[in-house]
Amino acid sequence: CTISKNTNIPVIVTNDWKSYFASNFTHYEKSVERGLFFGKKLLSKLKNRNNIRKDIFENQKKGKLHSNKLFKSSFREDIFYKIEKEDFKNTFIHISLDLSGSMRGDKLEKTIQTAIAIAYAACYLKNFDVEISLRGTDALSGMPNRDTRKTPLLAYAFNSKVNNVKDLHKFKSLTTCGMTPEGICLDEIRKNLPKPSYYQEVFLLNISDGLPN
């Protein structure tokens, strides 16, 4: 892990999410299964994103030469054509999950289902990428006392560009960790999001109960 100082308060940033947010139990296995089920439904709704709409305009004065018309053309008509393609913009969604203590139980079950469903669909869609991060607090290195576990913790757990559906099953062992460092971690995430443009949409989805422990 690294200690980010992009904000006034140090933030623990890591890809090793299982060291902080995983337990030896699989309490949320059913939540993962339901998330995959809903993900398949979502994919069926969004699968048209994998198709490129193509319109062909015949009898144009300029464009590509229509070879099938060339041999029978009297050259008193237009023998060119144009092709216009319409594709979906690239979409990037960062889903940040509040894993503070107040999210235990039903809240975390619903959170896992939602995140898994969106991430599952992203694994099978073109130009649709999802990243999942987990938020909590923990102690800085050399400060083992639980009373000092107040340093904001941001763990990157999934990225559809490098991970696959099998990695989503690991979320069945999720557990909460510490308190709610809402704004600090979200500021850290925003600084590392890709920049939106004409060709790319960027969204930050925050799932939280907004409550202290």
Side-chain angles (χ1 to χ4, degrees), residues 196-212:
S197 67
Y198 177 80
Y199 301 101
Q200 178 168 250
E201 300 172 312
V202 179
F203 301 94
L204 172 56
L205 173 60
N206 173 31
I207 302 181
S208 172
D209 63 356
L211 298 174

Side-chain angles (χ1 to χ4, degrees), residues 4-11 184 187 191:
S4 173
K5 295 184 178 179
N6 288 335
T7 60
N8 294 329
I9 300 174
V11 181
I184 297 171
D187 282 344
K191 292 171 182 175

Side-chain angles (χ1 to χ4, degrees), residues 37-47 117-119 121 125:
F37 172 76
F38 289 126
K40 292 174 183 178
K41 285 194 167 186
L42 179 62
L43 178 61
S44 68
K45 301 286 186 182
L46 298 177
K47 62 183 179 181
I118 300 173
L125 293 172

Side-chain angles (χ1 to χ4, degrees), residues 49-53 85-89 126-127:
R49 286 184 60 95
N50 288 337
N51 301 323
I52 298 176
R53 179 181 173 182
K85 296 180 180 180
E86 183 178 351
D87 200 359
F88 289 91
K89 288 184 178 182
K126 294 191 305 182
N127 303 325

Side-chain angles (χ1 to χ4, degrees), residues 77-94:
E77 58 186 18
D78 298 321
I79 56 175
F80 297 94
Y81 70 97
K82 290 181 180 180
I83 298 177
E84 291 187 2
K85 296 180 180 180
E86 183 178 351
D87 200 359
F88 289 91
K89 288 184 178 182
N90 295 341
T91 299
F92 180 89
I93 302 177
H94 183 103

Side-chain angles (χ1 to χ4, degrees), residues 28-43 109-121 165 168-169:
Y28 297 103
E29 186 169 5
K30 288 185 178 180
S31 298
V32 170
E33 291 175 357
R34 287 187 62 80
L36 295 173
F37 172 76
F38 289 126
K40 292 174 183 178
K41 285 194 167 186
L42 179 62
L43 178 61
E109 289 176 6
K110 296 295 193 299
T111 294
I112 292 173
Q113 289 177 28
T114 302
I116 292 291
I118 300 173
Y120 176 90
V165 172
L168 294 174
H169 288 275

Side-chain angles (χ1 to χ4, degrees), residues 16 46 64 67-68 81 101 114 124 136 162-163 181 184 193 202 208:
D16 183 19
L46 298 177
K64 293 185 177 182
S67 58
N68 292 334
Y81 70 97
T114 302
Y124 296 98
V162 297
N163 298 112
I184 297 171
L193 289 176
V202 179
S208 172

